[in-house]
Amino acid sequence: MNLILRPFELKLKHTFTISRESYNTQPTLIVELKDGDFSGYGEATSNPYYGTTVQKMTDDILRIKHIIEADSDKTPEAFWNEIYPHLKHNMFALCALDLAYNDLYARKKGQKLFELWNYNTKNNPLTDYTIGIDTIDKMVAKMKELPWPIYKIKLGTKEDIAIVEALRQHTDAIFRIDANCGWTVDETIKNAIALKALGVEFLEQPLKADDWDAHKAVFKKSVLPIVADESCQIEEDIDKCHNHFHGVNVKLVKCGGLTSARRMLTKARTLGMKTMVGCMTESSVGISAIAHLLPLLDYVDMDGALLLSEDIAQGVIIKNGVVEYSHLNGAGVSLI
């Protein structure tokens, strides 16, 4: 098995702003694992919040290249277990490798990933489309540019309720709110009342990630469900989030890929929690991998490639929130 690494700088359609940063481009790393006539593809983006860069991922992966290239016949679970001790300090790099190996493994079996896992895709949830923080006029313009059944709205400003009130005048779509750790307990409880009346479905990570007493207080008093994101990174966090959040948003890059994400989602469901998978601003390589987890999910945010001005890959197609799978096996992706 041969390891091939490709760095890219993804260009966005619009400046993307959340409560803690703004950006116009997104560095990403594409991993290819090639075995004979078959290739599998994985992806992980850089992320300053998690201290991850493309160079760091590249260095960490190349350091264990000899181990990676010796593992072409193992199951994805065995591959993940083999690689994890070497990359547990860099889950983004582990994710890119895990996605590529899962993709390769399923292609060699002649199946799509959801077929390999025996998942039923009949009742897949719709994906939302994210509107980053901006002026109200520009946020409205973004909604009009892409009419959508569900919008995820980034907040964390002093005018959050006024923003949602203004957006509501232009659409009947479902709203989901992501404050990216930008609120206090009192703000969250108060805002939830106003936002519920404005057709908001749930709140994602309103408080700082490690403030568990605050999460508990909001969990008890909020009139809207609260979904963990920054507070839910790895498998051990599912138990911590139980009875502190109503649901969890599992990100593949944070937990080390599809293999660990499947375990996390299964555990959350057994605990009676709502399940969600979110994305970074990824190409269709990362987004297509997420699509195969849809049967395990109540909610999904997999719009990363839709935010790009130019994609570097082809894979799943998303129309009006509905995900259409590629005809290709594995995750269903090919590089352009």
Side-chain angles (χ1 to χ4, degrees), residues 110-276:
Q111 294 179 293
K112 296 176 173 60
L113 278 170
F114 72 80
E115 294 172 335
L116 182 68
W117 299 332
N118 293 314
Y119 289 170
N120 186 336
T121 61
K122 283 187 177 180
N123 297 310
N124 283 355
L126 302 180
T127 181
D128 57 39
Y129 180 75
T130 304
I131 306 294
I133 297 172
D134 212 323
T135 65
I136 289 176
D137 286 346
K138 288 184 178 179
M139 292 174 82
V140 170
K142 290 174 186 176
M143 291 198 311
K144 290 183 176 179
E145 179 182 88
L146 193 64
W148 212 252
I150 309 170
Y151 289 109
K152 179 176 178 178
I153 303 166
K154 296 286 189 176
L155 296 180
T157 76
K158 298 299 182 183
E159 305 296 331
D160 285 343
I161 302 303
I163 289 172
V164 179
E165 287 175 339
L167 298 183
R168 177 50 75 204
Q169 296 177 26
H170 297 273
T171 180
D172 293 326
I174 294 168
F175 286 167
R176 297 167 178 171
I177 301 300
D178 186 356
N180 283 111
C181 312
W183 292 349
T184 65
V185 171
D186 290 342
E187 282 178 317
T188 303
I189 293 170
K190 181 180 177 182
N191 288 348
I193 296 170
L195 292 169
K196 183 177 182 180
L198 289 166
V200 169
E201 187 176 25
F202 63 78
L203 306 178
E204 185 178 339
Q205 196 67 49
L207 309 175
K208 292 182 179 179
D210 59 354
D211 196 344
W212 293 98
D213 289 340
H215 295 315
K216 187 75 170 182
V218 167
F219 175 77
K220 290 180 177 179
K221 295 183 179 181
S222 174
V223 299
L224 285 174
I226 310 294
V227 175
D229 182 359
E230 285 86 346
S231 295
C232 185
Q233 298 184 32
I234 58 176
E235 294 184 52
E236 292 80 2
D237 292 334
I238 297 295
D239 282 324
K240 292 168 67 175
C241 287
H242 185 229
N243 289 329
H244 288 79
F245 293 90
H246 302 90
V248 291
N249 181 2
V250 174
K251 298 275 184 70
L252 301 186
V253 289
K254 293 190 299 186
C255 71
L258 289 164
T259 300
S260 49
R262 291 174 64 208
R263 295 193 294 253
M264 291 174 72
L265 294 166
T266 300
K267 178 65 178 293
R269 286 160 69 98
T270 63
L271 293 173
M273 303 177 76
K274 293 292 186 180
T275 54
M276 177 178 179

Side-chain angles (χ1 to χ4, degrees), residues 23-74:
Y23 53 96
N24 294 294
T25 60
Q26 175 62 66
T28 196
L29 179 66
I30 302 297
V31 171
E32 178 183 356
L33 295 177
K34 185 175 179 61
D35 187 12
D37 295 331
F38 297 97
S39 283
Y41 299 95
E43 178 176 15
T45 60
S46 68
N47 191 293
Y49 181 82
Y50 296 102
T52 302
T53 66
V54 168
Q55 188 61 57
K56 188 174 187 299
M57 287 189 283
T58 299
D59 292 343
D60 285 344
I61 290 171
L62 289 178
R63 183 171 47 82
I64 57 168
K65 181 180 180 181
H66 62 290
I67 299 173
I68 295 165
E69 292 188 333
D71 275 345
S72 64
D73 293 326
K74 292 184 177 179

